Amino acid sequence: MVGGFFKQLFKSKNNNNNKEPQQANEQLQQNLMSSLKDNITHVSKILGNSSDIVIRTANIGPQNNVKLSIIYTEGLVDTQLLQILIDSLIFKVNKNDLQSQNQSNSSLITVLKEKIINVGSITEVRDFSTLTTNILSGHAALLVDQESKAISVSIPGFEKRSIEEPQSATLIKGPRDGFTETVSTNTSLLRRKIKSANLWMEEKEIGTVTKTKVVIAYINGIVNEDVVKEVHKRLDRINIDAILESGYIEELIQDETFTPFPTIYNTERPDAVAGKLLEGRVAILVDGTPFVLVVPSLIVEFFQASEDYYQRSDIATLLRFLRFLCFFIALVAPSLYIAILTYHQEMLPTTLLIEIAAQREGVPFPAFMEALMMEVAFEILREAGVRMPRAVGQTMSIVGALVLGQAAVQAGLVSSAMVIVVALTAIANFCFPSINLAASIRLLRFGMMILAAMFGLVGIIFGLILLCIHVSSLRSFGIPYTTTVAPFIITDQKDVFFRVPWWGMFSRPRLINQKNIIREQNNPTPKPQSRKQ
């Protein structure tokens, strides 16, 4: 019965009543006609006579005997470049141009493209599908009467957000630039970081309706070609109407769907993406979002911050150990509290046990219900703080947590120790550089609490074993998710739990990069030597 429910839930329904979309697709696949009037009518019909589609028709030439039209989308083109284009068409087409066209038997489109138009990148278009896509992407389409092809001039000029420090990954020391929602700006930020001819970028268009631009970036000679082919393969098989954010693609190309752990890394920081490209990874940039995907991804990456590489190695190593400690606190602290108070009171010192027992004397709920209520209350406060306006969101979260915790203790619903455990767990959960991993721990924490309430410490250990088995079974684009730890590669331990000095970071991860392992082939950076005077 359950299987039948899921079959019906994910069953694709093929309706035969999709005549209008089929007719629209047939109209798009048609080639341009020689009649300017027919072409304009057809384009207007495809675009639904939209008010933001501007069509300007004029007669040019010495005797005004050449009729043409310019079609563009208002708000998506640069008005100054558009005026330059119009002026060049009106004032630069002369008798000599028309005579040379007649003598060489070339089309007027070719003459305009080669001699008259001097702005933007120019391409020839022969079908309505490409023509309308270009018009809706910030191009100006030039159609000439008696010509069955058109010119598409790229002059985008839409409003875009300036480059700012990313809010999801702030640093004390490091670059302040972050990706924006414009993919061309994001690719230029990567070019500024990596000024190499081997930084290759390949473009795709995904989404039958949105036609979202997706760019695949990698460094030739360092990247594993099999990973690049796999990325292309997974992107090519996406058949969806819209891609509005990189999260759509992340969910459609990941190796494992039903796992709480993120198997694809995403970030707003250009320096983080540049560093991973130099390790041999592949970046996926999606137009319309500042979050860039990086594959393959390893679990240890979610404990690493960009700032680790901008400060001393000993400080970075200490902070990494602190993040691993916070991982275990956020995962098992409430479940340990439940297990010890419910099954293993002998593990606590007598004085502490008496103090906690005195606090819980008036609490009517068992430890599990006590922890569950506080965790759910904190999750509600956190979600409310995120969704509320920024001016009041943080204040509401802090004041709400303090007031709610104090009131809950005074009302006898929870103990003071439980409030401390939940607060410490919440703070530890904010220590991860990756918000995706923090969300995973929030989900897993409830499962560990249930196991602790049922079986005590045995349940916690059993849950950790299941977690290790699950993580070890995951892969990211064919690479084991726990690479460098399982399988254990001793040469790659210099950037896992420890961050060795830069003079020791002479090689790239071996399983990710099968070639060009050594970063400095000819003259490795020597270890600094102290000088005695």
Side-chain angles (χ1 to χ4, degrees):
M1 183 176 178
V2 176
F5 170 76
F6 281 103
K7 286 182 180 179
Q8 291 296 325
L9 180 64
F10 296 107
K11 183 179 180 181
S12 61
K13 296 182 179 180
N14 298 320
N15 270 332
N16 295 324
N17 299 325
N18 296 331
K19 294 182 179 179
E20 291 185 4
Q22 291 176 2
Q23 291 175 358
N25 290 331
E26 291 175 359
Q27 292 176 355
L28 286 172
Q29 298 304 322
Q30 292 181 14
N31 292 328
L32 292 172
M33 297 168 279
S34 59
S35 171
L36 177 61
K37 182 179 179 181
D38 293 341
N39 286 333
I40 293 175
T41 302
H42 202 72
V43 170
S44 299
K45 183 178 179 181
I46 292 173
L47 297 176
N49 296 310
S50 299
S51 58
D52 60 337
I53 304 298
V54 181
I55 302 176
R56 301 180 62 176
T57 304
N59 294 323
I60 63 172
Q63 298 178 355
N64 293 328
N65 56 344
V66 178
K67 189 175 183 180
L68 56 79
S69 291
I70 296 179
I71 307 176
Y72 61 92
T73 305
E74 186 178 9
L76 293 184
V77 298
D78 190 318
T79 54
Q80 294 183 352
L81 294 179
L82 177 64
Q83 191 58 48
I84 294 173
L85 172 62
I86 294 174
D87 292 342
S88 64
L89 292 173
I90 294 176
F91 299 111
K92 289 187 179 182
V93 178
N94 52 40
K95 187 176 181 180
N96 294 331
D97 295 329
L98 299 179
Q99 287 178 350
S100 63
Q101 172 211 351
N102 294 331
Q103 292 174 1
S104 61
N105 293 324
S106 59
S107 65
L108 182 57
I109 291 289
T110 304
V111 175
L112 294 176
K113 185 176 68 171
E114 295 178 353
K115 297 183 178 181
I116 306 301
I117 302 175
N118 55 5
V119 294
S121 59
I122 304 171
T123 56
E124 286 191 6
V125 179
R126 297 180 179 273
D127 59 89
F128 287 102
S129 177
T130 308
L131 181 69
T132 53
T133 300
N134 289 353
I135 292 173
L136 298 174
S137 302
H139 294 231
L142 179 62
L143 292 87
V144 181
D145 197 18
Q146 304 303 319
E147 293 284 351
S148 58
K149 56 184 177 180
I151 297 177
S152 178
V153 184
S154 177
I155 49 173
F158 47 85
E159 294 293 330
K160 54 187 178 182
R161 182 168 63 92
S162 60
I163 298 174
E164 302 171 349
E165 182 178 5
Q167 297 296 318
S168 63
T170 56
L171 300 180
I172 297 176
K173 181 181 180 181
R176 302 299 181 190
D177 54 346
F179 289 123
T180 68
E181 288 76 14
T182 308
V183 70
S184 58
T185 303
N186 296 342
T187 55
S188 67
L189 289 173
L190 287 180
R191 290 287 184 189
R192 288 175 57 188
K193 301 288 183 184
I194 305 176
K195 303 178 181 66
S196 171
N198 289 324
L199 177 56
W200 290 4
M201 297 187 182
E202 303 175 8
E203 185 178 315
K204 289 182 179 294
E205 195 177 84
I206 303 178
T208 56
V209 177
T210 59
K211 299 185 183 299
T212 305
K213 184 188 295 185
V214 176
V215 176
I216 303 170
Y218 57 90
I219 299 180
N220 183 49
I222 296 179
V223 72
N224 186 346
E225 287 85 356
D226 293 335
V227 175
V228 178
K229 293 178 182 177
E230 185 65 22
V231 171
H232 279 284
K233 179 182 176 181
R234 297 190 187 188
L235 290 177
D236 289 338
R237 73 185 183 204
I238 294 177
N239 185 14
I240 194 172
D241 61 340
I243 297 292
L244 301 179
E245 212 274 337
S246 59
Y248 284 51
I249 292 181
E250 180 178 357
E251 192 169 345
L252 290 168
I253 67 174
Q254 62 187 355
D255 291 65
E256 185 66 39
T257 301
F258 300 104
T259 177
F261 292 96
T263 56
I264 295 179
Y265 187 83
N266 65 72
T267 180
E268 288 187 84
R269 300 197 60 87
D271 55 331
V273 175
K276 295 186 183 303
L277 290 176
L278 291 168
E279 289 183 348
R281 305 176 199 264
V282 180
I284 304 173
L285 298 87
V286 182
D287 193 23
T289 176
F291 286 92
V292 174
L293 307 178
V294 181
V295 296
S297 174
L298 310 178
I299 189 172
V300 294
E301 292 181 76
F302 297 96
F303 294 93
Q304 301 170 354
S306 298
E307 197 171 8
D308 293 349
Y309 304 96
Y310 306 143
Q311 55 188 352
R312 286 168 36 191
S313 60
D314 51 352
I315 301 299
T317 300
L318 174 64
L319 292 177
R320 284 196 184 173
F321 276 109
L322 182 63
R323 293 186 198 118
F324 283 106
L325 175 62
C326 290
F327 172 81
F328 287 103
I329 291 176
L331 180 62
V332 301
S335 55
L336 279 175
Y337 175 85
I338 295 169
I340 291 175
L341 287 188
T342 306
Y343 296 101
H344 312 284
Q345 296 91 343
E346 68 278 2
M347 295 181 63
L348 294 177
T350 304
T351 307
L352 179 59
L353 181 60
I354 294 173
E355 183 66 28
I356 294 177
Q359 293 176 10
R360 300 193 72 254
E361 184 178 0
V363 177
F365 304 108
F368 172 70
M369 290 301 300
E370 184 184 7
L372 185 62
M373 286 191 301
M374 289 301 298
E375 285 290 340
V376 171
F378 186 82
E379 292 296 332
I380 293 173
L381 284 172
R382 173 163 30 196
E383 188 67 15
V386 171
R387 305 305 165 199
M388 289 184 67
R390 186 172 300 177
V392 297
Q394 294 181 351
T395 304
M396 193 281 299
S397 298
I398 296 172
V399 175
L402 292 174
V403 171
L404 184 63
Q406 184 66 24
V409 172
Q410 292 180 354
L413 297 178
V414 297
S415 62
S416 301
M418 185 69 253
V419 175
I420 295 174
V421 171
V422 172
L424 180 61
T425 303
I427 295 171
N429 209 83
F430 288 120
C431 292
F432 305 120
S434 171
I435 192 172
N436 288 347
L437 182 62
S440 302
I441 301 307
R442 289 164 58 187
L443 178 63
L444 292 170
R445 184 160 60 238
F446 288 98
M448 298 297 292
M449 289 166 56
I450 294 173
L451 289 174
M454 295 174 64
F455 307 107
L457 287 178
V458 176
I460 295 176
I461 295 173
F462 179 70
L464 291 175
I465 292 174
L466 288 180
L467 202 59
C468 291
I469 293 173
H470 174 70
V471 172
S472 300
S473 68
L474 296 178
R475 287 180 173 265
S476 178
F477 282 75
I479 304 298
Y481 194 49
T482 54
T483 293
T484 69
V485 178
F488 183 80
I489 304 174
I490 190 169
T491 56
D492 290 344
Q493 300 305 309
K494 55 185 174 294
D495 193 23
V496 181
F497 301 102
F498 302 89
R499 206 282 279 172
V500 302
W502 271 112
W503 49 262
M505 303 273 283
F506 54 84
S507 63
R508 299 183 176 89
R510 293 185 178 272
L511 279 186
I512 294 175
N513 193 301
Q514 303 295 331
K515 60 181 182 179
N516 199 359
I517 299 294
I518 306 301
R519 289 179 180 268
E520 303 174 39
Q521 297 278 0
N522 300 324
N523 187 22
T525 303
K527 177 181 177 181
Q529 300 292 330
S530 60
R531 297 178 60 185
K532 296 182 179 180
Q533 297 183 359

